[in-house]
Amino acid sequence: MRAGQGMRIGNILAAFYAAAIYGFIFLPVVVLVLFSFQDGRFPIPPFQGFSLRWYEELLADRRLTAALVNSVFVALLSSAAAVTLGFLAAYGLARFRLPGAGLQKALLVAPLTVSYLIIGMGLLITFNAIGFPRSLLAAGIGHVVINMPLCFAIVFSQMGEHQANAERAARDLGAREWQVLALVTVPMMWPSLFASFFLSMTFSWDEFIISFLLTRFDVTLPVEIWNMLRSGLNPKTNAAGSLVFGISVVLVLMLELTVLRRRRPA
Amino acid sequence: MAIVDRRGRGDMRPWAFVAPALLWTIAFFCVPFAVMAVVSLWERVGTELVASWSFANYAKFFARGHFLQAMLNSLEVTLIVTVLSILLAYPLAWILAEKVPPRWQRIGLVCAILPFWTSYVVRSYAWVLVLANNGVVNQALQGVGLVDEPLSLANSRTATIIGFVHFFVMLLTLTIYANLVQLPKNYRRAAADLGAGSVATFVHIILPLTLPGIMVGAFLTFVLCIGDYITPQILGGNSELVMPQLIMLQIGRRADFPTASALAILLMVVVTLVYVACARWLKLERA
């Protein structure tokens, strides 16, 4: 009897604790999104009514929409490059015996251990030295540097022996190397390629410091939002932040629903 | 398994797969790092970088009080954030793994880390909204009469720590939960059969077995926290600078790349030392 009661009190405490932490986790997001609909000039209580005017201002802001398009381009292209390079390297290192393979793997994942600020700064100083201008291209190069190790690690970890057997079979039946790669390996590796692509997309989409250091006139969305912060608290910044958050959540949910669902036991 | 080499020893094909990624990493990661190391030994005179080849920039770090203070601030904030995040995240991960029915666990977890995907900038701005003098927290506290004057929460170290803890609670919940659900249920039954109470089971069985998950999460927290510029810049303001802020100041105000490079390298040395100290536990995970 006493044990049962203790159990019940434990469950109630657990529920309270979980509710408190979830509250803490969601508080800033809820405040951000709620006051993006504020019908007034300040994103602080009291809530004065529901309005979409800040979203309208957002869409009318040329600099902001340009930054949004830039962000999408940088995210798409840098992720495509990161996945391609990472996949090819994973294939080479998983399927062939190369001298110094351990060292190569260590080199490929090394950027994961260094903070974005330092990676961005190194690129900035180097690009300055060779006269390469600060631009979206420069930021994109930086995004490939941070995302390729992740793509490589994900794809490499999923390259198993049964896929190697299928590749051998294809080769025995006369397929050329590129045919094996394009018609056998890529379709088999599709889930992990997809996962690394979307993960790269979300990281590139949210990345600030490298873009901040390496872009100049054309900037990405997080940099433009950073510029907006100078005007202080403003419902328009809330609207921009809510939009970024919404797009990130859509990307994550797509990843969750398409790739991760397959791995779940039925 | 290696493929039987059909063309003899001089086969270069495998290299064609690995070379692009390797060259990319060398060109845009190793070379910039080497350049940074070299530049850290130079100095800035006027608007030019002069190859003076000295450790003056490193000496400056130890000679100037506010440089050293920034490193201490960084370490202090990072340590507080790491410990607080573990203490807050562990019970949540445990509740998710133990108290929540399996079919709801995944949804619970996805929800717990959803704000994780807001960008750094947006998340920090959202906390400014919450913590501002006339923000949600202060108005609520004043509304129920707990305080008369608004608490100055924003622009302080407390705000920086709250912003960081928010992010890392989500990260640590994920790593600790992943570790907890892997534990076989039989361990708990065996402990109960041998007479251990739930507290003893937790202290002697569960906690030691989840130490790898905690350590991996703690190390990630440390690395990401000590290298972050945004959260302390937006939430902490300029009162107590941390290393990334100091580094950005060198770049932004003076374009003093030599000093910035030296500071960045010192920061990396600290992170490497922590990695070496934690390596014992970090390796456990692979076993």
Side-chain angles (χ1 to χ4, degrees), chain A residues 11 17 22 25-26 45 104 125-126 148 171 177 206 208 229 234 238 245 248 252 256, chain B residues 3 13 15 17-18 25 32 88 99 106 108 111 117-118 125 129 139 166 230 251 257 261:
Chain A
N11 282 344
Y17 186 82
Y22 274 101
I25 289 174
F26 275 93
Q104 293 180 40
I125 297 174
T126 310
M148 191 176 67
R171 241 176 242 115
E177 195 64 49
D206 282 345
F208 168 76
L229 291 189
N234 185 338
N238 284 47
F245 176 57
S248 304
V252 173
E256 170 78 20
Chain B
I3 289 165
R13 278 179 313 152
W15 288 105
F17 295 115
V18 192
T25 307
L88 287 174
K99 299 279 179 187
R106 198 173 177 93
C111 284
W117 304 102
T118 11
Y125 169 75
L129 288 178
Q139 294 213 13
H166 176 246
I230 286 294
I251 300 178
F257 292 126
S261 300

mmCIF file of all heavy atoms in Angstrom, chain A residues 11 17 22 25-26 45 104 125-126 148 171 177 206 208 229 234 238 245 248 252 256, chain B residues 3 13 15 17-18 25 32 88 99 106 108 111 117-118 125 129 139 166 230 251 257 261:
data_model
loop_
_atom_site.group_PDB
_atom_site.id
_atom_site.type_symbol
_atom_site.label_atom_id
_atom_site.label_comp_id
_atom_site.label_asym_id
_atom_site.label_seq_id
_atom_site.Cartn_x
_atom_site.Cartn_y
_atom_site.Cartn_z
ATOM 1 N N ASN A 11 5.099 9.692 -9.493
ATOM 2 C CA ASN A 11 4.576 9.998 -10.830
ATOM 3 C C ASN A 11 4.106 11.435 -10.935
ATOM 4 O O ASN A 11 4.316 12.094 -11.945
ATOM 5 C CB ASN A 11 3.417 9.056 -11.169
ATOM 6 C CG ASN A 11 3.926 7.687 -11.578
ATOM 7 O OD1 ASN A 11 5.107 7.531 -11.894
ATOM 8 N ND2 ASN A 11 3.057 6.698 -11.550
ATOM 9 N N TYR A 17 7.677 17.953 -12.927
ATOM 10 C CA TYR A 17 9.024 18.275 -13.389
ATOM 11 C C TYR A 17 9.049 18.388 -14.916
ATOM 12 O O TYR A 17 9.558 19.363 -15.477
ATOM 13 C CB TYR A 17 10.023 17.219 -12.930
ATOM 14 C CG TYR A 17 11.440 17.603 -13.273
ATOM 15 C CD1 TYR A 17 12.144 18.470 -12.457
ATOM 16 C CD2 TYR A 17 12.055 17.135 -14.432
ATOM 17 C CE1 TYR A 17 13.422 18.856 -12.778
ATOM 18 C CE2 TYR A 17 13.331 17.515 -14.764
ATOM 19 C CZ TYR A 17 14.012 18.374 -13.925
ATOM 20 O OH TYR A 17 15.279 18.769 -14.257
ATOM 21 N N TYR A 22 9.452 21.397 -19.932
ATOM 22 C CA TYR A 22 8.860 21.696 -21.240
ATOM 23 C C TYR A 22 8.467 23.163 -21.321
ATOM 24 O O TYR A 22 8.617 23.812 -22.354
ATOM 25 C CB TYR A 22 7.642 20.797 -21.515
ATOM 26 C CG TYR A 22 8.006 19.468 -22.124
ATOM 27 C CD1 TYR A 22 8.054 18.308 -21.360
ATOM 28 C CD2 TYR A 22 8.326 19.374 -23.473
ATOM 29 C CE1 TYR A 22 8.406 17.085 -21.913
ATOM 30 C CE2 TYR A 22 8.683 18.164 -24.044
ATOM 31 C CZ TYR A 22 8.721 17.013 -23.253
ATOM 32 O OH TYR A 22 9.071 15.825 -23.810
ATOM 33 N N ILE A 25 11.553 25.097 -21.961
ATOM 34 C CA ILE A 25 12.044 24.911 -23.334
ATOM 35 C C ILE A 25 11.198 25.702 -24.329
ATOM 36 O O ILE A 25 11.711 26.290 -25.271
ATOM 37 C CB ILE A 25 12.064 23.397 -23.698
ATOM 38 C CG1 ILE A 25 13.185 22.697 -22.927
ATOM 39 C CG2 ILE A 25 12.213 23.198 -25.193
ATOM 40 C CD1 ILE A 25 13.217 21.200 -23.096
ATOM 41 N N PHE A 26 9.866 25.739 -24.077
ATOM 42 C CA PHE A 26 9.001 26.370 -25.078
ATOM 43 C C PHE A 26 8.729 27.850 -24.826
ATOM 44 O O PHE A 26 8.262 28.548 -25.719
ATOM 45 C CB PHE A 26 7.678 25.599 -25.200
ATOM 46 C CG PHE A 26 7.795 24.442 -26.135
ATOM 47 C CD1 PHE A 26 8.123 23.174 -25.682
ATOM 48 C CD2 PHE A 26 7.645 24.639 -27.500
ATOM 49 C CE1 PHE A 26 8.278 22.128 -26.561
ATOM 50 C CE2 PHE A 26 7.795 23.600 -28.390
ATOM 51 C CZ PHE A 26 8.120 22.326 -27.915
ATOM 52 N N PRO A 45 4.315 42.207 -23.497
ATOM 53 C CA PRO A 45 2.947 42.237 -22.981
ATOM 54 C C PRO A 45 2.529 43.675 -22.695
ATOM 55 O O PRO A 45 3.395 44.508 -22.401
ATOM 56 C CB PRO A 45 3.014 41.413 -21.686
ATOM 57 C CG PRO A 45 4.395 40.856 -21.601
ATOM 58 C CD PRO A 45 5.243 41.484 -22.629
ATOM 59 N N GLN A 104 43.326 9.571 -43.017
ATOM 60 C CA GLN A 104 42.391 10.273 -43.905
ATOM 61 C C GLN A 104 41.056 10.501 -43.224
ATOM 62 O O GLN A 104 40.473 11.579 -43.311
ATOM 63 C CB GLN A 104 42.192 9.481 -45.187
ATOM 64 C CG GLN A 104 43.440 9.419 -46.046
ATOM 65 C CD GLN A 104 43.204 8.616 -47.312
ATOM 66 O OE1 GLN A 104 42.150 8.718 -47.926
ATOM 67 N NE2 GLN A 104 44.171 7.811 -47.682
ATOM 68 N N ILE A 125 40.855 35.207 -42.977
ATOM 69 C CA ILE A 125 42.242 35.668 -43.091
ATOM 70 C C ILE A 125 42.869 35.153 -44.390
ATOM 71 O O ILE A 125 43.551 35.888 -45.104
ATOM 72 C CB ILE A 125 43.062 35.202 -41.863
ATOM 73 C CG1 ILE A 125 42.493 35.842 -40.591
ATOM 74 C CG2 ILE A 125 44.533 35.567 -42.023
ATOM 75 C CD1 ILE A 125 43.139 35.348 -39.312
ATOM 76 N N THR A 126 42.596 33.869 -44.712
ATOM 77 C CA THR A 126 43.164 33.289 -45.931
ATOM 78 C C THR A 126 42.620 33.972 -47.179
ATOM 79 O O THR A 126 43.370 34.325 -48.091
ATOM 80 C CB THR A 126 42.862 31.783 -45.984
ATOM 81 O OG1 THR A 126 43.235 31.205 -44.738
ATOM 82 C CG2 THR A 126 43.632 31.112 -47.107
ATOM 83 N N MET A 148 30.503 18.808 -44.495
ATOM 84 C CA MET A 148 31.037 17.605 -45.139
ATOM 85 C C MET A 148 31.448 16.527 -44.131
ATOM 86 O O MET A 148 31.154 15.349 -44.352
ATOM 87 C CB MET A 148 32.210 17.973 -46.047
ATOM 88 C CG MET A 148 32.642 16.837 -46.933
ATOM 89 S SD MET A 148 33.942 17.358 -48.036
ATOM 90 C CE MET A 148 35.267 17.663 -46.897
ATOM 91 N N ARG A 171 29.300 -5.710 -60.348
ATOM 92 C CA ARG A 171 30.577 -5.685 -61.053
ATOM 93 C C ARG A 171 30.785 -6.979 -61.825
ATOM 94 O O ARG A 171 31.221 -6.982 -62.966
ATOM 95 C CB ARG A 171 31.716 -5.473 -60.057
ATOM 96 C CG ARG A 171 32.498 -4.212 -60.326
ATOM 97 C CD ARG A 171 33.548 -3.988 -59.284
ATOM 98 N NE ARG A 171 33.275 -2.744 -58.569
ATOM 99 C CZ ARG A 171 32.957 -2.666 -57.297
ATOM 100 N NH1 ARG A 171 32.905 -3.747 -56.557
ATOM 101 N NH2 ARG A 171 32.701 -1.501 -56.757
ATOM 102 N N GLU A 177 32.452 1.014 -63.031
ATOM 103 C CA GLU A 177 32.526 1.610 -61.699
ATOM 104 C C GLU A 177 31.453 2.675 -61.488
ATOM 105 O O GLU A 177 30.780 2.708 -60.466
ATOM 106 C CB GLU A 177 33.928 2.213 -61.497
ATOM 107 C CG GLU A 177 34.253 2.525 -60.066
ATOM 108 C CD GLU A 177 34.314 1.293 -59.168
ATOM 109 O OE1 GLU A 177 34.988 0.320 -59.534
ATOM 110 O OE2 GLU A 177 33.660 1.311 -58.112
ATOM 111 N N ASP A 206 20.676 27.788 -40.596
ATOM 112 C CA ASP A 206 20.736 28.471 -39.304
ATOM 113 C C ASP A 206 22.087 29.107 -39.014
ATOM 114 O O ASP A 206 22.228 29.844 -38.044
ATOM 115 C CB ASP A 206 20.455 27.477 -38.167
ATOM 116 C CG ASP A 206 18.981 27.181 -38.037
ATOM 117 O OD1 ASP A 206 18.183 27.948 -38.607
ATOM 118 O OD2 ASP A 206 18.639 26.204 -37.376
ATOM 119 N N PHE A 208 25.254 31.238 -38.489
ATOM 120 C CA PHE A 208 25.421 32.695 -38.461
ATOM 121 C C PHE A 208 26.877 33.152 -38.612
ATOM 122 O O PHE A 208 27.211 33.925 -39.504
ATOM 123 C CB PHE A 208 24.863 33.269 -37.153
ATOM 124 C CG PHE A 208 25.251 34.715 -36.933
ATOM 125 C CD1 PHE A 208 24.622 35.723 -37.631
ATOM 126 C CD2 PHE A 208 26.279 35.039 -36.064
ATOM 127 C CE1 PHE A 208 24.988 37.049 -37.453
ATOM 128 C CE2 PHE A 208 26.653 36.365 -35.875
ATOM 129 C CZ PHE A 208 26.003 37.367 -36.577
ATOM 130 N N LEU A 229 18.408 43.334 -35.332
ATOM 131 C CA LEU A 229 18.433 43.408 -33.865
ATOM 132 C C LEU A 229 18.883 44.776 -33.381
ATOM 133 O O LEU A 229 18.550 45.190 -32.283
ATOM 134 C CB LEU A 229 19.369 42.355 -33.279
ATOM 135 C CG LEU A 229 18.957 40.892 -33.398
ATOM 136 C CD1 LEU A 229 19.877 40.021 -32.579
ATOM 137 C CD2 LEU A 229 17.527 40.717 -32.937
ATOM 138 N N ASN A 234 11.344 44.543 -31.658
ATOM 139 C CA ASN A 234 10.476 44.956 -32.747
ATOM 140 C C ASN A 234 9.674 43.738 -33.217
ATOM 141 O O ASN A 234 10.267 42.695 -33.474
ATOM 142 C CB ASN A 234 11.373 45.483 -33.877
ATOM 143 C CG ASN A 234 10.583 46.050 -35.027
ATOM 144 O OD1 ASN A 234 9.410 45.722 -35.209
ATOM 145 N ND2 ASN A 234 11.218 46.898 -35.805
ATOM 146 N N ASN A 238 10.404 39.600 -34.595
ATOM 147 C CA ASN A 238 9.685 38.401 -34.163
ATOM 148 C C ASN A 238 9.152 37.638 -35.361
ATOM 149 O O ASN A 238 9.260 36.407 -35.423
ATOM 150 C CB ASN A 238 8.481 38.782 -33.285
ATOM 151 C CG ASN A 238 8.893 39.181 -31.905
ATOM 152 O OD1 ASN A 238 9.820 39.959 -31.745
ATOM 153 N ND2 ASN A 238 8.213 38.660 -30.914
ATOM 154 N N PHE A 245 12.156 29.892 -37.823
ATOM 155 C CA PHE A 245 11.853 28.745 -36.986
ATOM 156 C C PHE A 245 10.889 27.802 -37.704
ATOM 157 O O PHE A 245 11.102 26.587 -37.741
ATOM 158 C CB PHE A 245 11.256 29.218 -35.657
ATOM 159 C CG PHE A 245 10.828 28.105 -34.759
ATOM 160 C CD1 PHE A 245 11.731 27.137 -34.359
ATOM 161 C CD2 PHE A 245 9.521 28.020 -34.315
ATOM 162 C CE1 PHE A 245 11.341 26.104 -33.533
ATOM 163 C CE2 PHE A 245 9.128 26.990 -33.479
ATOM 164 C CZ PHE A 245 10.035 26.024 -33.087
ATOM 165 N N SER A 248 12.658 25.836 -40.377
ATOM 166 C CA SER A 248 13.514 24.809 -39.778
ATOM 167 C C SER A 248 12.683 23.626 -39.303
ATOM 168 O O SER A 248 13.049 22.470 -39.517
ATOM 169 C CB SER A 248 14.288 25.380 -38.589
ATOM 170 O OG SER A 248 15.030 26.495 -38.975
ATOM 171 N N VAL A 252 12.921 19.684 -40.348
ATOM 172 C CA VAL A 252 13.136 18.607 -39.388
ATOM 173 C C VAL A 252 12.021 17.579 -39.453
ATOM 174 O O VAL A 252 12.265 16.369 -39.428
ATOM 175 C CB VAL A 252 13.254 19.174 -37.955
ATOM 176 C CG1 VAL A 252 13.307 18.056 -36.941
ATOM 177 C CG2 VAL A 252 14.494 20.036 -37.840
ATOM 178 N N GLU A 256 12.199 13.638 -40.181
ATOM 179 C CA GLU A 256 11.615 12.687 -39.234
ATOM 180 C C GLU A 256 10.635 11.749 -39.948
ATOM 181 O O GLU A 256 10.656 10.538 -39.739
ATOM 182 C CB GLU A 256 10.908 13.487 -38.131
ATOM 183 C CG GLU A 256 10.043 12.688 -37.186
ATOM 184 C CD GLU A 256 10.849 11.940 -36.141
ATOM 185 O OE1 GLU A 256 11.995 12.337 -35.918
ATOM 186 O OE2 GLU A 256 10.331 10.969 -35.577
ATOM 187 N N ILE B 3 38.398 -4.633 -52.332
ATOM 188 C CA ILE B 3 38.084 -5.278 -53.603
ATOM 189 C C ILE B 3 39.381 -5.784 -54.219
ATOM 190 O O ILE B 3 40.419 -5.136 -54.105
ATOM 191 C CB ILE B 3 37.390 -4.261 -54.526
ATOM 192 C CG1 ILE B 3 35.997 -3.995 -53.981
ATOM 193 C CG2 ILE B 3 37.335 -4.749 -55.950
ATOM 194 C CD1 ILE B 3 35.373 -2.781 -54.570
ATOM 195 N N ARG B 13 42.203 4.458 -58.991
ATOM 196 C CA ARG B 13 40.765 4.727 -58.919
ATOM 197 C C ARG B 13 40.271 5.089 -57.524
ATOM 198 O O ARG B 13 39.546 6.072 -57.371
ATOM 199 C CB ARG B 13 39.970 3.526 -59.438
ATOM 200 C CG ARG B 13 39.846 3.479 -60.932
ATOM 201 C CD ARG B 13 39.056 2.246 -61.296
ATOM 202 N NE ARG B 13 39.587 1.095 -60.549
ATOM 203 C CZ ARG B 13 38.863 0.039 -60.204
ATOM 204 N NH1 ARG B 13 37.604 -0.018 -60.514
ATOM 205 N NH2 ARG B 13 39.401 -0.951 -59.554
ATOM 206 N N TRP B 15 41.560 6.579 -55.174
ATOM 207 C CA TRP B 15 41.936 7.935 -54.805
ATOM 208 C C TRP B 15 40.989 8.954 -55.412
ATOM 209 O O TRP B 15 40.744 10.012 -54.823
ATOM 210 C CB TRP B 15 43.368 8.240 -55.238
ATOM 211 C CG TRP B 15 44.347 7.524 -54.386
ATOM 212 C CD1 TRP B 15 45.083 6.427 -54.719
ATOM 213 C CD2 TRP B 15 44.692 7.819 -53.027
ATOM 214 N NE1 TRP B 15 45.856 6.022 -53.663
ATOM 215 C CE2 TRP B 15 45.638 6.864 -52.615
ATOM 216 C CE3 TRP B 15 44.275 8.802 -52.124
ATOM 217 C CZ2 TRP B 15 46.180 6.867 -51.333
ATOM 218 C CZ3 TRP B 15 44.817 8.806 -50.856
ATOM 219 C CH2 TRP B 15 45.759 7.845 -50.469
ATOM 220 N N PHE B 17 37.927 8.813 -55.568
ATOM 221 C CA PHE B 17 36.748 8.996 -54.713
ATOM 222 C C PHE B 17 37.059 9.851 -53.494
ATOM 223 O O PHE B 17 36.267 10.674 -53.070
ATOM 224 C CB PHE B 17 36.218 7.627 -54.249
ATOM 225 C CG PHE B 17 35.711 6.784 -55.364
ATOM 226 C CD1 PHE B 17 36.338 5.598 -55.702
ATOM 227 C CD2 PHE B 17 34.596 7.185 -56.091
ATOM 228 C CE1 PHE B 17 35.867 4.818 -56.739
ATOM 229 C CE2 PHE B 17 34.121 6.406 -57.123
ATOM 230 C CZ PHE B 17 34.762 5.225 -57.455
ATOM 231 N N VAL B 18 38.233 9.607 -52.910
ATOM 232 C CA VAL B 18 38.554 10.277 -51.652
ATOM 233 C C VAL B 18 39.167 11.652 -51.881
ATOM 234 O O VAL B 18 38.990 12.561 -51.072
ATOM 235 C CB VAL B 18 39.494 9.393 -50.800
ATOM 236 C CG1 VAL B 18 39.597 9.939 -49.391
ATOM 237 C CG2 VAL B 18 38.999 7.963 -50.782
ATOM 238 N N THR B 25 39.158 19.612 -47.713
ATOM 239 C CA THR B 25 39.492 19.789 -46.297
ATOM 240 C C THR B 25 40.853 20.450 -46.140
ATOM 241 O O THR B 25 41.048 21.320 -45.284
ATOM 242 C CB THR B 25 39.464 18.433 -45.571
ATOM 243 O OG1 THR B 25 38.212 17.803 -45.828
ATOM 244 C CG2 THR B 25 39.630 18.601 -44.076
ATOM 245 N N PRO B 32 43.820 27.266 -44.076
ATOM 246 C CA PRO B 32 43.451 28.438 -43.268
ATOM 247 C C PRO B 32 43.966 28.349 -41.838
ATOM 248 O O PRO B 32 44.365 29.359 -41.248
ATOM 249 C CB PRO B 32 41.922 28.404 -43.279
ATOM 250 C CG PRO B 32 41.576 27.705 -44.524
ATOM 251 C CD PRO B 32 42.652 26.684 -44.748
ATOM 252 N N LEU B 88 19.553 19.453 -15.013
ATOM 253 C CA LEU B 88 18.177 19.649 -15.455
ATOM 254 C C LEU B 88 17.747 18.600 -16.477
ATOM 255 O O LEU B 88 16.590 18.180 -16.497
ATOM 256 C CB LEU B 88 18.012 21.050 -16.069
ATOM 257 C CG LEU B 88 18.018 22.215 -15.079
ATOM 258 C CD1 LEU B 88 17.997 23.539 -15.822
ATOM 259 C CD2 LEU B 88 16.820 22.116 -14.134
ATOM 260 N N LYS B 99 8.926 6.692 -17.482
ATOM 261 C CA LYS B 99 7.539 6.939 -17.067
ATOM 262 C C LYS B 99 6.587 7.081 -18.248
ATOM 263 O O LYS B 99 5.388 6.972 -18.087
ATOM 264 C CB LYS B 99 7.476 8.225 -16.223
ATOM 265 C CG LYS B 99 8.289 8.161 -14.945
ATOM 266 C CD LYS B 99 7.560 7.433 -13.858
ATOM 267 C CE LYS B 99 8.403 7.360 -12.599
ATOM 268 N NZ LYS B 99 7.778 6.512 -11.569
ATOM 269 N N ARG B 106 8.777 8.885 -28.408
ATOM 270 C CA ARG B 106 9.388 9.554 -29.548
ATOM 271 C C ARG B 106 8.816 10.959 -29.747
ATOM 272 O O ARG B 106 9.550 11.907 -30.002
ATOM 273 C CB ARG B 106 9.184 8.719 -30.809
ATOM 274 C CG ARG B 106 10.138 9.148 -31.870
ATOM 275 C CD ARG B 106 10.131 8.300 -33.088
ATOM 276 N NE ARG B 106 11.067 8.927 -34.006
ATOM 277 C CZ ARG B 106 12.335 8.604 -34.093
ATOM 278 N NH1 ARG B 106 12.830 7.664 -33.323
ATOM 279 N NH2 ARG B 106 13.131 9.223 -34.935
ATOM 280 N N GLY B 108 7.439 12.766 -27.398
ATOM 281 C CA GLY B 108 7.942 13.558 -26.273
ATOM 282 C C GLY B 108 9.332 14.088 -26.549
ATOM 283 O O GLY B 108 9.652 15.244 -26.267
ATOM 284 N N CYS B 111 9.374 16.775 -29.340
ATOM 285 C CA CYS B 111 8.903 18.044 -28.768
ATOM 286 C C CYS B 111 9.978 18.683 -27.905
ATOM 287 O O CYS B 111 10.202 19.891 -27.965
ATOM 288 C CB CYS B 111 7.649 17.829 -27.926
ATOM 289 S SG CYS B 111 6.186 17.597 -28.910
ATOM 290 N N TRP B 117 15.994 23.692 -33.066
ATOM 291 C CA TRP B 117 16.189 24.004 -34.487
ATOM 292 C C TRP B 117 15.954 25.470 -34.808
ATOM 293 O O TRP B 117 16.003 25.853 -35.963
ATOM 294 C CB TRP B 117 15.296 23.112 -35.353
ATOM 295 C CG TRP B 117 15.555 21.684 -35.079
ATOM 296 C CD1 TRP B 117 14.799 20.838 -34.312
ATOM 297 C CD2 TRP B 117 16.684 20.914 -35.512
ATOM 298 N NE1 TRP B 117 15.391 19.614 -34.260
ATOM 299 C CE2 TRP B 117 16.535 19.628 -34.977
ATOM 300 C CE3 TRP B 117 17.795 21.200 -36.301
ATOM 301 C CZ2 TRP B 117 17.473 18.623 -35.203
ATOM 302 C CZ3 TRP B 117 18.723 20.201 -36.520
ATOM 303 C CH2 TRP B 117 18.548 18.933 -35.979
ATOM 304 N N THR B 118 15.669 26.294 -33.816
ATOM 305 C CA THR B 118 15.663 27.731 -34.096
ATOM 306 C C THR B 118 17.114 28.156 -34.245
ATOM 307 O O THR B 118 17.989 27.598 -33.591
ATOM 308 C CB THR B 118 15.129 28.566 -32.912
ATOM 309 O OG1 THR B 118 15.039 27.737 -31.798
ATOM 310 C CG2 THR B 118 13.837 29.210 -33.225
ATOM 311 N N TYR B 125 17.510 36.174 -29.327
ATOM 312 C CA TYR B 125 16.600 37.316 -29.379
ATOM 313 C C TYR B 125 15.326 37.005 -28.601
ATOM 314 O O TYR B 125 14.815 37.847 -27.854
ATOM 315 C CB TYR B 125 16.269 37.665 -30.832
ATOM 316 C CG TYR B 125 15.138 38.655 -30.990
ATOM 317 C CD1 TYR B 125 15.334 39.999 -30.719
ATOM 318 C CD2 TYR B 125 13.876 38.237 -31.393
ATOM 319 C CE1 TYR B 125 14.299 40.914 -30.841
ATOM 320 C CE2 TYR B 125 12.838 39.130 -31.522
ATOM 321 C CZ TYR B 125 13.044 40.471 -31.248
ATOM 322 O OH TYR B 125 12.025 41.366 -31.381
ATOM 323 N N LEU B 129 13.473 38.984 -25.371
ATOM 324 C CA LEU B 129 12.056 39.330 -25.216
ATOM 325 C C LEU B 129 11.533 38.882 -23.861
ATOM 326 O O LEU B 129 10.793 39.596 -23.186
ATOM 327 C CB LEU B 129 11.212 38.615 -26.279
ATOM 328 C CG LEU B 129 11.276 39.062 -27.718
ATOM 329 C CD1 LEU B 129 10.390 38.153 -28.545
ATOM 330 C CD2 LEU B 129 10.798 40.501 -27.829
ATOM 331 N N GLN B 139 6.977 41.281 -16.122
ATOM 332 C CA GLN B 139 5.578 41.691 -15.997
ATOM 333 C C GLN B 139 4.778 40.670 -15.206
ATOM 334 O O GLN B 139 3.889 41.040 -14.428
ATOM 335 C CB GLN B 139 4.974 41.901 -17.390
ATOM 336 C CG GLN B 139 5.626 43.067 -18.114
ATOM 337 C CD GLN B 139 4.664 43.810 -19.009
ATOM 338 O OE1 GLN B 139 3.444 43.625 -18.941
ATOM 339 N NE2 GLN B 139 5.199 44.672 -19.865
ATOM 340 N N HIS B 166 19.179 26.666 -21.795
ATOM 341 C CA HIS B 166 18.013 26.335 -22.608
ATOM 342 C C HIS B 166 18.400 25.442 -23.781
ATOM 343 O O HIS B 166 17.799 24.415 -24.042
ATOM 344 C CB HIS B 166 17.385 27.643 -23.114
ATOM 345 C CG HIS B 166 16.228 27.450 -24.037
ATOM 346 N ND1 HIS B 166 16.260 27.822 -25.353
ATOM 347 C CD2 HIS B 166 15.014 26.905 -23.834
ATOM 348 C CE1 HIS B 166 15.104 27.528 -25.914
ATOM 349 N NE2 HIS B 166 14.326 26.976 -25.013
ATOM 350 N N ILE B 230 27.333 34.317 -30.331
ATOM 351 C CA ILE B 230 26.013 34.932 -30.384
ATOM 352 C C ILE B 230 25.344 35.077 -29.024
ATOM 353 O O ILE B 230 24.917 36.172 -28.655
ATOM 354 C CB ILE B 230 25.094 34.083 -31.305
ATOM 355 C CG1 ILE B 230 25.482 34.306 -32.740
ATOM 356 C CG2 ILE B 230 23.644 34.427 -31.113
ATOM 357 C CD1 ILE B 230 25.228 35.701 -33.183
ATOM 358 N N ILE B 251 38.762 41.499 -34.440
ATOM 359 C CA ILE B 251 38.518 41.512 -35.885
ATOM 360 C C ILE B 251 37.697 42.733 -36.268
ATOM 361 O O ILE B 251 38.030 43.463 -37.198
ATOM 362 C CB ILE B 251 37.746 40.242 -36.321
ATOM 363 C CG1 ILE B 251 38.540 38.996 -35.973
ATOM 364 C CG2 ILE B 251 37.465 40.284 -37.820
ATOM 365 C CD1 ILE B 251 37.822 37.717 -36.327
ATOM 366 N N PHE B 257 44.059 40.909 -37.037
ATOM 367 C CA PHE B 257 44.039 39.466 -37.228
ATOM 368 C C PHE B 257 45.110 38.727 -36.419
ATOM 369 O O PHE B 257 44.854 37.629 -35.933
ATOM 370 C CB PHE B 257 44.164 39.113 -38.715
ATOM 371 C CG PHE B 257 42.957 39.513 -39.510
ATOM 372 C CD1 PHE B 257 43.078 40.317 -40.631
ATOM 373 C CD2 PHE B 257 41.697 39.095 -39.130
ATOM 374 C CE1 PHE B 257 41.963 40.695 -41.359
ATOM 375 C CE2 PHE B 257 40.573 39.457 -39.844
ATOM 376 C CZ PHE B 257 40.700 40.256 -40.965
ATOM 377 N N SER B 261 44.022 35.772 -34.052
ATOM 378 C CA SER B 261 44.504 34.410 -34.327
ATOM 379 C C SER B 261 45.127 33.795 -33.087
ATOM 380 O O SER B 261 44.868 32.625 -32.761
ATOM 381 C CB SER B 261 45.539 34.419 -35.454
ATOM 382 O OG SER B 261 44.972 34.927 -36.624
#
